[in-house]
Amino acid sequence: MSGIDCSGLVLRAHQAIGVRLSHYSGSQGSGGKKVPVGKQLPGDVVCYVGHVGIYIGNGKMIHAPEPGKRVCVVKVYGSPWYRRYW
């Protein structure tokens, strides 16, 4: 299998700015600083049980949805929580 999974996408984006993260969505969703809903900024991690993405503003995020699918931009869905590592 090739490509990138959701936690790998978040890991690589944070590596690019010098922030070290685990390659596990559960750790990414529980570390950093808690960000209240409505206070999220571009670059914050959008967290779900078993899935993460990166908030890009205007109610949207970039994420790797599932194996075999392309990384894409979607509206933030459901009831996520947010974490900040920068």
Side-chain angles (χ1 to χ4, degrees):
M1 185 169 105
S2 64
I4 195 164
D5 65 0
C6 66
S7 59
L9 176 66
V10 170
L11 174 107
R12 292 289 177 102
H14 282 78
Q15 274 181 340
I17 61 167
V19 176
R20 297 184 80 168
L21 295 180
S22 165
H23 189 172
Y24 173 62
S25 61
S27 296
Q28 293 174 357
S30 63
K33 294 182 284 187
K34 182 178 181 177
V35 177
V37 173
K39 300 291 184 181
Q40 65 271 23
L41 295 172
D44 289 340
V45 180
V46 183
C47 308
Y48 301 91
V49 174
H51 188 61
V52 289
I54 303 167
Y55 188 70
I56 60 170
N58 297 319
K60 295 182 180 179
M61 68 175 180
I62 186 168
H63 76 141
E66 61 186 69
K69 302 272 182 160
R70 292 179 185 248
V71 171
C72 60
V73 174
V74 296
K75 288 183 180 179
V76 174
Y77 57 86
S79 299
W81 64 96
Y82 299 88
R83 306 301 288 192
R84 185 171 296 154
Y85 287 90
W86 44 273

